[in-house]
């Protein structure tokens, strides 16, 4: 396992040798530019949003965006690609972002109604005080619950 980090652009990627036969390794790519860090720290401590795209390409890798509301609208302040949409992979990416941005402490976090995303936030020890706000129309349409719910973490 070799983790490479680019100090000029906050980029972390899990790099492995092609000759390895270890198929248990996972992919994690986290990216954040310096200007994104500035916006995250300036606007991300009230509420941050996590959104993901799924199955939009032939590669079955979810792409996650962390966004904040700025004075001129919403802006992506970090992005990551994980091997899968598991709570473990999402939590690892969030841990990296927190290590890069130690003063980033949002009071609220908005996600899709995704159990993996919610679980990743709930298992983070320093996220216990946050409220996770889940927003979607799908559960209501299929009779599982309200259009938006708030869970204290």
């Amino acid at each position: 396992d070799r983790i490479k980090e680019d100090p000029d652009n906050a980029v972390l990627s899990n790099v492995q040798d092609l000759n390895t036969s270890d198929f248990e390794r996972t992919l994690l790519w986290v990216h954040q530019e310096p200007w994104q860090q500035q916006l995250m720290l300036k606007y991300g401590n009230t509420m941050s949003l996590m959104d993901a795209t799924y199955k939009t390409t032939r590669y079955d890798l979810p792409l996650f965006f962390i966004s904040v509301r700025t004075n001129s609208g919403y802006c992506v302040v970090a992005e990551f690609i994980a091997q899968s949409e598991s709570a473990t992979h999402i939590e690892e990416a969030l841990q990296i972002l927190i290590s890069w941005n130690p003063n980033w402490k949002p009071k609220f976090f908005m996600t899709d109604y995704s159990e993996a995303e919610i679980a990743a936030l709930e298992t983070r020890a320093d996220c216990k005080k946050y409220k996770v706000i889940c927003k979607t129309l799908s559960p209501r349409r299929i009779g599982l619950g309200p259009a938006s719910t708030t869970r204290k973490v």
Side-chain angles (χ1 to χ4, degrees), residues 17-130:
D17 292 325
L18 295 176
N19 297 334
T20 185
S21 62
D22 182 5
F23 291 104
E24 296 299 317
R25 295 183 188 204
T26 59
L27 168 75
L28 178 61
W29 178 81
V30 183
H31 177 258
Q32 187 177 47
E33 295 285 336
W35 64 268
Q36 290 175 305
Q37 285 181 308
Q38 291 172 355
L39 288 176
M40 176 183 269
L41 295 176
K42 184 171 183 177
Y43 297 105
N45 285 321
T46 301
M47 182 175 347
S48 293
L49 297 88
M50 181 167 33
D51 195 18
T53 63
Y54 304 98
K55 299 180 184 176
T56 57
T57 67
R58 64 181 164 162
Y59 306 106
D60 194 19
L61 298 171
L63 170 62
F64 292 85
F65 299 99
I66 306 294
S67 301
V68 298
R69 184 175 181 188
T70 69
N71 61 340
S72 61
Y74 289 90
C75 184
V76 174
V77 294
E79 49 279 330
F80 62 94
I81 297 173
Q83 181 72 34
S84 70
E85 187 204 351
S86 73
T88 304
H89 294 146
I90 297 168
E91 182 182 353
E92 183 180 0
L94 289 172
Q95 178 59 41
I96 291 165
L97 288 172
I98 289 168
S99 73
W100 291 346
N101 304 279
N103 295 324
W104 175 50
K105 297 178 177 19
K107 293 177 185 161
F108 297 93
F109 223 106
M110 183 179 288
T111 69
D112 293 327
Y113 193 79
S114 163
E115 290 299 324
E117 292 174 22
I118 294 167
L121 289 167
E122 288 178 342
T123 57
R124 295 271 318 122
D126 54 348
C127 289
K128 294 292 183 195
K129 63 182 184 257
Y130 302 155

